[in-house]
Amino acid sequence: MTDTKSGDDKTLSMNTKKTLTLKRPGVEQGTVRQNFSHGRTKSVVVETKKRKFSVPGEKHEPVAPVALAPRPQPQPASKPAPAPVVKEQPKPAAPEGRSGLVLNELSTEEMEARRRALEGSKVREVEERKRAQEDAARRAEEDDRRRQEREESARRQAEEEMRLKAEAEARSRAEEEASRRAPEPGPMPEAVDDDRDAKRKAKPSIPPKRIATPEPARPTRPRVGEDRRRGKLTLNSALAGDEARGRSLSAMRRRQEKFKRAQHQEAREKIAREVILPETITIQELAGRMAERAVDVIKFFMKQGQILKPGDVIDADTAELVAVEFGHTVKRVAESDVEEGLFNIPDKPENRESRPPVVTIMGHVDHGKTSLLDAIRHANVVSGEAGGITQHIGAYQVEQNGQKITFIDTPGHAAFTQMRARGAQATDIAVLVVAADDSVMPQTIESINHAKAAGVPIIVAINKIDKPEADAQKVRTELLQHEVFVESMGGEVLDVEVSAVKGTNLDKLLEAILLQSELLDLKADPERTSEGVVIEAKLDKGRGPVATVLVQTGKLLPGDIIVAGNEWGKVRALVNDRGEQLPDAGPSMPVEVLGLQGTPQAGDRFATVENEARAREISEYRQRKAREMAVAKHAGQRGSLEQMMSQLQSSGLKEFPLLIKGDVQGSIEAIVAALDKLGTDEVRARIVHSGAGGITESDISLAETSNAAIIGFNVRANKQAREAAEQAGIEIRYYNIIYNLVDDVKAAMSGLLSPERRETFLGNAEILEVFNITKVGKVAGCRVSEGKVERGAGVRLIRDNVVIHEGKLKTLKRFKDEVPEVPAGQECGMAFENYEDIRAGDVIECFRVEEVARTL
């Protein structure tokens, strides 16, 4: 028993020296003293949670539970030992005599577990010690590296200061030498001298270009010195007014640049520039063209009371004022200058050669213009024209006695006024065809006016002289009324009697044309860049945009880059009226041009340019101008929503939306002009879209969106467009004769007209007495004095010849029976719908309203 107790005492003494634990506690406690104002303090218990580290190589073996049951613990005098596994509430200390009993209860397994825990803790201490040594070595290396970087930066700073000092000394020596050599040096601005002195003073304290960011100094390491703090503004230095604080490197660079700029400006005088000003320009671009600072221009505007930004756009007048104020001269240019040098290039006199005459055949519809041209060309164009009337401009070239003549055939229909005007403008001679049986007609007079406006000579061809009712003399006489004096009537206009059917006198007509062309002495320069006019344009399914052009000067070749109206392109091929490809097209030759980017407008002028860039620039300018004009036009028509609604309510204007697709631009132009003439104050046709080419799916979508009808003139819809139109329920109308199209649209627009109200007087009745009947109201006892009174007709109550009420009859009785009508001379009872203010002596007027459909 004694031995056992002595062994237990040894164990207890071991526990007193080193506490045995199975694992380190997760939370460590400590106390921190917290200070408050007025000298108050407070001790606060702080717990620190530690992360558990696993020791490499440590084997986790199952450990028997120790001291799970609550038992009293020994409490040594020196330091309390925490429970090995479970943190329990503090218990009363056990008496000294019972400690041996507690240790006797420990089994052999528990002792073994405690021994293993002790060994594990020793291993962990060794590992932690080793890790701490490695961290210390790493920190030492980092400190050495930072120290070396600081030394390197200090060395570079010293070198930079020496270099700047040497430069300053060299510059000062050079200035002194220059001042000694020049007896009267030019005045230097005082600001420059001040800057130089300040810079010379500040040079020794220039910070380095690149300084490594220093780490916060450790408390154990001594401070390097005040050099590290140089250049930094502190509260003490600011309050003390420390003037020796050095400038930053950026500030020194700015001062040097300012000094150099001042020297440079002093050396040169202000240059007056010629500033090119477009129609609009930004302030930034204006400053750049004047070689001024944008800030100075903005300051000028601020003095004028305007706050502007460099990106703001100003007009040319304002920009001119600014440029003149800054001492520059101004050259105004417009965007349209891109077209300069495109047209009207003078011919070289030594290169001028005779060219074929361009002859336009004009006249009233069905007077035989195309038949006459067919007879001259030995072709049959009339059979291919719908309805026997020409609806396009055709251009052909024939040869007579070794000389070529270019013919342009124009339509005679009233709708094709613009085509005739274009034909007259592009021509040298106008042949006026007048039928001998019809004589002078409205389009004949119009053709005469077009020819006179274009200033071209007229040759009168009196056609259809083979008819028995032909009267050529009547034609000559009627032409006198329009100031066309033929030779036989004492004038200068040539006239030839011809018959297109019989071929009579066709050679005389051609000889007259050649004679007139000799008098005109027509010449052109084939060596210069080509110019001309677009006679017609269309969108061909296989060939794309095709323009029929008349070359007026120069020679057009495949590969030339041309600009025609808003479109441009590279000439792929030149095709004549017989479908043959040509190697070139000289003056007065009509050809079809393939290769344009889009379909130009008929009547547009074309010209060749040197490269694609200029062609694209001109085309984009023209397209932009066309868009601006369209927007301005629509904006003027559209106005605000309120204006539009009030206009619709006040005027009652109805629109008939249409989408028009045609084979050529000229036909579309004629259709649009004809439909515009149909419009009235109540209804008008609104062209949603018009264009050359077949009807496509996009046209169907546009028509569906705008609820428009689609009209195709000499074109057809493709399969996809037809299917889309059937699904959307949109009607497509096809036409090949223009007056049929105009008549149908006129009839459709007539349906939009509100019907006309026609009022028919039926009769009058005088009120003799008024009866007040229960459940019925007031009933007037009347005698029909004139005409008759019908039930259901409109009635007016007239008192003292003033209409008091207008409405309908509620009841019409003869005695006690309802009757449809009461004739004159009979008495009846009448009551109004929703009106009872009737008096004896009033007159009731009965009338019927009829609505009659109107037409345009």
Side-chain angles (χ1 to χ4, degrees):
M1 190 69 184
T2 307
D3 295 337
T4 306
K5 187 172 182 181
S6 63
D8 294 341
D9 290 337
K10 289 179 182 178
T11 306
L12 183 60
S13 64
M14 183 178 65
N15 285 340
T16 305
K17 293 179 181 177
K18 185 76 174 181
T19 304
L20 290 178
T21 55
L22 290 178
K23 64 176 182 178
R24 300 179 67 187
V27 179
E28 292 184 2
Q29 291 186 347
T31 58
V32 175
R33 182 165 295 279
Q34 191 174 5
N35 295 321
F36 296 95
S37 59
H38 303 293
R40 292 184 293 118
T41 59
K42 178 183 176 182
S43 295
V44 180
V45 178
V46 180
E47 290 188 355
T48 305
K49 291 187 178 181
K50 293 189 177 180
R51 192 169 54 168
K52 181 178 178 182
F53 296 94
S54 61
V55 180
E58 180 183 1
K59 295 182 180 180
H60 297 283
E61 298 178 1
V63 181
V66 179
L68 289 177
R71 66 169 67 89
Q73 294 181 4
Q75 193 158 357
S78 62
K79 183 165 79 171
V85 178
V86 182
K87 183 177 180 181
E88 298 179 355
Q89 297 295 330
K91 299 283 192 336
E96 284 293 328
R98 298 188 61 185
S99 62
L101 294 175
V102 174
L103 292 175
N104 285 336
E105 292 176 3
L106 295 174
S107 63
T108 310
E109 290 81 359
E110 291 172 343
M111 294 295 293
E112 184 65 23
R114 291 189 177 186
R115 186 183 62 77
R116 284 198 299 270
L118 182 60
E119 292 175 356
S121 65
K122 289 180 179 179
V123 171
R124 280 195 297 275
E125 286 178 0
V126 172
E127 291 289 336
E128 288 176 358
R129 196 177 298 113
K130 184 177 179 182
R131 196 178 297 114
Q133 292 174 354
E134 291 176 355
D135 291 343
R138 195 182 306 111
R139 279 197 297 273
E141 291 177 1
E142 186 71 18
D143 292 341
D144 291 341
R145 184 178 60 79
R146 289 174 181 163
R147 180 175 53 76
Q148 290 174 2
E149 288 179 356
R150 281 195 294 273
E151 292 174 355
E152 181 68 18
S153 65
R155 185 180 60 78
R156 281 198 298 269
Q157 179 180 357
E159 290 177 357
E160 183 69 17
E161 288 178 355
M162 292 296 291
R163 186 181 64 80
L164 291 175
K165 187 174 180 181
E167 287 180 0
E169 290 175 355
R171 194 180 296 110
S172 63
R173 282 197 299 272
E175 290 171 356
E176 290 173 0
E177 184 69 22
S179 62
R180 278 200 304 273
R181 288 179 181 176
E184 292 182 2
M188 291 288 288
E190 295 180 4
V192 175
D193 294 337
D194 295 344
D195 288 348
R196 190 186 301 125
D197 295 340
K199 185 172 63 177
R200 197 176 294 128
K201 290 176 183 177
K203 280 191 187 298
S205 60
I206 295 176
K209 285 185 179 179
R210 185 166 58 100
I211 301 175
T213 306
E215 291 289 325
R218 300 184 180 277
T220 55
R221 186 173 293 120
R223 298 179 68 173
V224 177
E226 288 302 320
D227 289 341
R228 191 173 58 85
R229 301 286 295 175
R230 181 180 297 169
K232 293 187 179 179
L233 181 64
T234 62
L235 187 62
N236 293 332
S237 62
L239 292 175
D242 187 9
E243 296 298 332
R245 184 171 67 90
R247 291 180 175 272
S248 67
L249 187 61
S250 299
M252 290 304 302
R253 281 178 181 162
R254 284 195 297 271
R255 294 197 68 127
Q256 285 179 353
E257 289 173 2
K258 185 178 178 183
F259 172 65
K260 288 177 183 176
R261 211 163 41 238
Q263 275 190 330
H264 189 57
Q265 287 176 356
E266 184 65 28
R268 66 175 180 87
E269 295 181 357
K270 186 177 179 66
I271 299 174
R273 301 173 183 272
E274 184 183 51
V275 182
I276 297 175
L277 295 180
E279 294 171 0
T280 58
I281 189 172
T282 63
I283 292 177
Q284 185 74 49
E285 189 177 356
L286 175 63
R289 294 187 183 191
M290 296 191 302
E292 304 282 353
R293 294 192 309 162
V295 178
D296 296 335
V297 181
I298 290 171
K299 284 179 182 176
F300 171 77
F301 279 111
M302 290 176 71
K303 289 178 183 176
Q304 309 300 321
Q306 290 180 296
I307 306 299
L308 297 176
K309 301 187 296 296
D312 287 343
V313 179
I314 56 176
D315 59 359
D317 294 334
T318 309
E320 184 174 358
L321 289 173
V322 175
V324 171
E325 187 69 23
F326 277 83
H328 304 287
T329 58
V330 170
K331 180 182 178 183
R332 297 278 288 270
V333 296
E335 287 188 359
S336 57
D337 291 346
V338 297
E339 296 183 348
E340 281 188 359
L342 191 63
F343 297 110
N344 304 323
I345 300 173
D347 295 343
K348 292 183 179 179
E350 63 272 13
N351 294 337
R352 290 172 65 85
E353 298 176 1
S354 297
R355 64 174 178 85
V358 179
V359 180
T360 299
I361 297 185
M362 307 173 76
H364 191 73
V365 64
D366 203 24
H367 272 204
K369 298 181 295 300
T370 307
S371 301
L372 184 63
L373 188 56
D374 285 348
I376 293 172
R377 294 176 59 236
H378 309 292
N380 190 7
V381 176
V382 171
S383 60
E385 292 284 0
I389 66 168
T390 301
Q391 300 178 120
H392 307 140
I393 286 184
Y396 314 98
Q397 197 166 47
V398 298
E399 193 167 332
Q400 173 75 9
N401 299 334
Q403 291 181 278
K404 291 183 178 180
I405 304 172
T406 299
F407 283 99
I408 297 177
D409 184 18
T410 63
H413 194 272
F416 295 96
T417 303
Q418 291 292 328
M419 281 196 189
R420 283 192 294 279
R422 275 198 301 277
Q425 289 165 4
T427 191
D428 302 314
I429 301 169
V431 173
L432 183 66
V433 178
V434 187
D437 54 347
D438 281 349
S439 191
V440 176
M441 298 293 280
Q443 268 67 59
T444 310
I445 301 167
E446 187 189 300
S447 299
I448 294 170
N449 293 333
H450 284 317
K452 287 183 176 179
V456 296
I458 298 174
I459 296 175
V460 178
I462 303 173
N463 196 17
K464 301 185 181 181
I465 59 167
D466 57 306
K467 285 194 172 185
E469 61 270 22
D471 187 355
Q473 195 61 32
K474 180 185 175 185
V475 173
R476 297 187 182 97
T477 306
E478 289 190 3
L479 287 174
L480 292 175
Q481 302 174 12
H482 306 288
E483 299 179 358
V484 177
F485 306 108
V486 297
E487 283 184 335
S488 59
M489 307 291 285
E492 296 180 354
V493 177
L494 299 173
D495 66 301
V496 184
E497 296 181 7
V498 295
S499 171
V501 176
K502 304 289 186 180
T504 309
N505 291 337
L506 295 183
D507 51 348
K508 287 187 178 181
L509 178 62
L510 294 176
E511 286 172 4
I513 291 170
L514 292 174
L515 176 63
Q516 187 71 53
S517 67
E518 285 179 12
L519 294 174
L520 294 174
D521 189 23
L522 303 171
K523 289 187 177 182
D525 180 5
E527 302 301 324
R528 49 158 286 183
T529 57
S530 63
E531 291 179 25
V533 64
V534 178
I535 297 174
E536 195 55 273
K538 62 181 178 180
L539 191 64
D540 193 279
K541 186 176 180 181
R543 301 184 295 172
V546 179
T548 303
V549 303
L550 176 68
V551 181
Q552 292 173 318
T553 56
K555 188 177 289 184
L556 188 63
L557 301 168
D560 284 351
I561 297 164
I562 65 170
V563 177
N566 295 347
E567 306 296 339
W568 71 279
K570 190 174 184 179
V571 179
R572 283 209 321 264
L574 300 172
V575 183
N576 65 6
D577 57 300
R578 290 180 293 275
E580 302 165 353
Q581 286 210 13
L582 302 177
D584 55 45
S588 301
M589 183 174 286
V591 287
E592 286 185 340
V593 175
L594 278 67
L596 289 170
Q597 301 287 326
T599 309
Q601 297 292 323
D604 287 340
R605 295 181 69 187
F606 81 88
T608 56
V609 293
E610 58 273 10
N611 52 40
E612 291 186 10
R614 178 144 192 253
R616 194 179 291 109
E617 185 182 9
I618 295 171
S619 175
E620 288 174 355
Y621 161 71
R622 290 180 174 178
Q623 289 172 4
R624 188 167 61 252
K625 295 294 287 183
R627 280 196 302 271
E628 290 172 359
M629 289 178 63
V631 168
K633 181 180 177 183
H634 288 307
Q637 292 177 350
R638 185 167 59 243
S640 65
L641 185 62
E642 291 82 0
Q643 291 172 351
M644 189 168 63
M645 295 302 293
S646 62
Q647 183 182 1
L648 282 174
Q649 289 172 1
S650 59
S651 64
L653 181 66
K654 295 180 181 177
E655 290 185 335
F656 187 57
L658 289 171
L659 192 150
I660 299 173
K661 295 301 287 286
D663 53 347
V664 293
Q665 289 284 357
S667 301
I668 295 163
E669 185 182 45
I671 292 167
V672 172
L675 294 181
D676 281 343
K677 291 179 182 177
L678 293 179
T680 65
D681 293 338
E682 293 184 49
V683 62
R684 67 180 179 90
R686 179 167 65 91
I687 310 301
V688 175
H689 172 66
S690 62
I695 299 169
T696 60
E697 286 180 277
S698 61
D699 297 328
I700 305 296
S701 302
L702 180 57
E704 185 179 6
T705 305
S706 56
N707 197 23
I710 297 179
I711 290 177
F713 187 77
N714 284 333
V715 294
R716 288 292 182 271
N718 56 30
K719 182 182 178 183
Q720 294 84 358
R722 286 198 303 271
E723 291 173 354
E726 289 174 5
Q727 292 177 0
I730 292 174
E731 182 184 11
I732 302 176
R733 289 285 190 95
Y734 299 111
Y735 298 93
N736 57 3
I737 300 175
I738 190 169
Y739 49 75
N740 290 347
L741 184 153
V742 174
D743 290 344
D744 282 6
V745 174
K746 185 176 180 181
M749 289 169 63
S750 299
L752 291 178
L753 288 173
S754 55
E756 184 181 355
R757 292 181 80 236
R758 289 186 184 173
E759 186 180 297
T760 305
F761 173 77
L762 295 179
N764 281 340
E766 185 181 355
I767 299 177
L768 304 177
E769 195 172 346
V770 179
F771 304 97
N772 201 346
I773 300 174
T774 311
K775 296 184 180 179
V776 176
K778 289 186 177 181
V779 177
C782 310
R783 180 189 292 118
V784 180
S785 58
E786 183 182 356
K788 63 179 179 179
V789 177
E790 291 182 356
R791 187 176 65 208
V795 287
R796 293 190 186 96
L797 182 66
I798 301 173
R799 184 179 298 159
D800 298 330
N801 293 325
V802 177
V803 177
I804 303 299
H805 172 70
E806 183 174 334
K808 287 188 176 182
L809 287 178
K810 180 169 64 174
T811 180
L812 178 62
K813 288 189 177 184
R814 176 111 172 100
F815 300 108
K816 292 187 178 182
D817 301 327
E818 285 279 349
V819 290
E821 64 179 41
V822 178
Q826 294 187 0
E827 294 183 353
C828 60
M830 285 190 266
F832 289 90
E833 287 183 356
N834 303 322
Y835 190 78
E836 293 190 349
D837 183 18
I838 52 179
R839 302 175 191 173
D842 293 348
V843 177
I844 296 175
E845 180 185 277
C846 186
F847 60 92
R848 183 189 299 119
V849 176
E850 296 175 350
E851 291 187 346
V852 181
R854 295 164 57 205
T855 57
L856 287 172

